Amino acid sequence: MKDLKPLSSHAIPLALERAMRYRLLNDPWQAESICRDVLRTEADHQEALRILVMCMTDQFGQRGELGMHEVLAVVAKLQDPYQREYCTGIVHERQAGAALRRGSPHSGEIAYDLLHRAMESYEKAEANKPENNEDPILRWNACVRAIRRHRLQAAPQDQGFPEMLE
């Protein structure tokens, strides 16, 4: 098998532009690959980590092997508390959407729980948000609307689903 070729550090800005372009072209796998190349060159590159989280969550429900633990491990590397909480919310919100698309038994209750977890993270992010950044509020509202639109409800008290969420 061939080895991966290293990316030079001066190529990182253009590589991240390309990663964003691939995301916009609905090719998150290609964008993820670029972010991983950037992170091989600069392991703690915060923008690459943030884009990687978005790329990975773009793929929820598309690749069976990708789970929340893997994405949350990337989120944990984000240094900014706002970004960490906001991205945690994104992970939960997008996993809720994947659960709804699967339509398996109890997917509504699972999605409800995930959306509430997302909302908790968005509240924490809101407390640390940059000035004039209302993104956590927009995401919170989207979660509320999803709960209403799909008429989601919590699982009965005696029937939790934490093992299915992980």
Side-chain angles (χ1 to χ4, degrees):
M1 178 179 290
K2 306 258 183 205
D3 290 332
L4 296 172
K5 293 184 178 187
L7 182 69
S8 63
S9 59
H10 69 273
I12 289 175
L14 184 57
L16 291 176
E17 275 184 42
R18 289 193 199 298
M20 288 302 295
R21 189 170 307 135
Y22 278 112
R23 274 198 75 222
L24 293 173
L25 292 171
N26 201 24
D27 192 352
W29 185 87
Q30 189 64 247
E32 177 185 342
S33 178
I34 292 169
C35 289
R36 292 189 184 280
D37 285 337
V38 169
L39 293 167
R40 284 186 68 230
T41 300
E42 194 176 315
D44 289 332
H45 195 286
Q46 295 296 291
E47 184 67 8
L49 289 168
R50 190 189 65 72
I51 296 170
L52 178 60
V53 168
M54 297 302 148
C55 296
M56 294 171 79
T57 60
D58 286 343
Q59 298 173 72
F60 279 165
Q62 295 176 15
R63 310 189 326 193
E65 73 275 9
L66 183 65
M68 281 195 340
H69 287 301
E70 183 181 355
V71 184
L72 290 173
V74 176
V75 170
K77 295 177 183 177
L78 293 169
Q79 297 167 355
D80 178 26
Y82 166 77
Q83 286 294 330
R84 210 170 31 253
E85 289 300 338
Y86 183 78
C87 287
T88 298
I90 291 286
V91 170
H92 287 104
E93 183 181 356
R94 291 186 174 183
Q95 190 71 323
L100 287 172
R101 285 188 301 279
R102 275 192 301 276
S104 57
H106 305 292
S107 61
E109 291 98 344
I110 293 168
Y112 180 88
D113 184 61
L114 287 163
L115 288 168
H116 272 269
R117 290 182 190 198
M119 292 165 69
E120 289 171 4
S121 292
Y122 294 143
E123 276 192 328
K124 292 176 186 173
E126 187 180 355
N128 294 308
K129 71 180 178 69
E131 188 176 344
N132 297 322
N133 182 334
E134 302 287 315
D135 289 348
I137 293 169
L138 296 172
R139 299 288 1 128
W140 165 281
N141 290 344
C143 290
V144 171
R145 287 186 180 99
I147 290 168
R148 290 177 181 169
R149 179 180 326 119
H150 297 286
R151 295 184 175 101
L152 301 177
Q153 297 180 357
Q157 289 296 330
D158 61 336
Q159 183 181 2
F161 298 103
E163 69 281 352
M164 295 175 75
L165 297 175
E166 304 303 330

